[in-house]
Amino acid sequence: MSRRRTLGTKKKIALLVGAATVAGGGAFVMANASNAAQTTQDARTKGVQDSGVCQGLATALGNNQRFIEGQRANPDAQSQARIENREAVVAEIERKQAASGCAVGESAQDSQTPQPPQAGQEAGQDTGDQTGDQAGDQAGGAGQAGEQVCTGSTVTLSGEGGAPAASSNQFPVGTRLRVTNLDNDKSTTVEVNSVSGSCALLNNAAFEQVREEGKFLIRRALIEKVG
């Protein structure tokens, strides 16, 4: 006659606790693995965003440095004032690089070929005649009103304050440009008020009107001459 062995209450409780511990441990490991994967993905996303921010600031810094070099190589009566203004902009960009965790002083230059200032392009000078228009034509950026210009150019910010405006090495002071960020369909129409090392360099206020959050460079830009 067989005897059936039965487990005591304490043993049953111990076995149940052990099983729950094993199951809980597995769930904990799975949760940790999931959290680690999410953390890695978040880090990659942030890395890409940070890379775009740093590249935009580096491009802005390079454009201003190139402009300063051009002014020193071909000075005129207004060059010293322009250089001092752009040196202040460079300092502001470097401050933003530090705040964004970028390499301070790292610079890059866009694809535009630098042009020396032409007649009628001095900062703050109103052309009032056709001399500035002719200078813009010679610089290679001229186009009829409403035409797309500076095809393939990226757009970044100069770091300058004031009302929305642009600077350019292609168009004379007084030219009106419409800049559209094709990545978010935002656009702004600004007037060129000084020269720079790029086809279209937006000041802080103008760039804020078309920028994507956290970015300092517009890779896909449509630039049109509207006046």
Side-chain angles (χ1 to χ4, degrees):
M1 184 175 179
S2 61
R3 297 178 60 186
R4 302 179 68 179
R5 296 182 178 179
T6 59
L7 295 175
T9 301
K10 292 184 178 180
K11 289 185 177 181
K12 287 181 180 180
I13 294 174
L15 288 174
L16 289 173
V17 171
T21 301
V22 171
F28 178 76
V29 170
M30 291 177 65
N32 277 348
S34 177
N35 290 338
Q38 184 62 44
T39 300
T40 301
Q41 182 61 38
D42 291 344
R44 288 176 180 171
T45 300
K46 186 176 186 301
V48 171
Q49 293 173 343
D50 289 347
S51 176
V53 169
C54 293
Q55 185 172 355
L57 291 171
T59 299
L61 183 61
N63 287 339
N64 282 281
Q65 290 174 334
R66 182 171 60 181
F67 175 78
I68 292 172
E69 291 170 1
Q71 290 295 304
R72 287 174 174 163
N74 299 283
D76 59 26
Q78 300 295 324
S79 289
Q80 186 57 40
R82 296 193 196 104
I83 289 171
E84 290 176 359
N85 175 268
R86 292 307 171 114
E87 285 177 340
V89 171
V90 165
E92 174 63 16
I93 293 172
E94 289 179 341
R95 186 193 67 76
K96 289 182 178 180
Q97 285 180 322
S100 301
C102 307
V104 177
E106 181 180 11
S107 66
Q109 296 181 355
D110 63 18
S111 59
Q112 292 298 309
T113 302
Q115 300 287 341
Q118 302 292 328
Q121 284 188 304
E122 285 80 4
Q125 177 180 340
D126 186 2
T127 55
D129 55 30
Q130 295 183 354
T131 304
D133 293 333
Q134 293 171 353
D137 293 344
Q138 294 170 358
Q144 298 298 321
E147 285 187 2
Q148 180 178 351
V149 294
C150 307
T151 304
S153 293
T154 58
V155 175
T156 187
L157 76 167
S158 66
E160 295 177 297
S167 55
S168 175
N169 68 349
Q170 303 284 320
F171 300 99
V173 169
T175 303
R176 290 177 62 79
L177 301 174
R178 180 166 55 240
V179 179
T180 302
N181 183 345
L182 298 177
D183 288 326
N184 59 12
D185 291 327
K186 292 182 179 180
S187 64
T188 182
T189 299
V190 292
E191 185 172 297
V192 175
N193 65 4
S194 64
V195 293
S196 68
S198 299
C199 173
L201 193 64
L202 300 179
N203 70 355
N204 290 350
F207 195 81
E208 285 296 328
Q209 294 178 342
V210 295
R211 71 179 293 184
E212 291 183 90
E213 185 176 357
K215 294 186 178 181
F216 293 91
L217 179 69
I218 301 173
R219 296 182 181 278
R220 299 176 61 243
L222 172 64
I223 306 172
E224 300 168 281
K225 181 181 178 182
V226 296

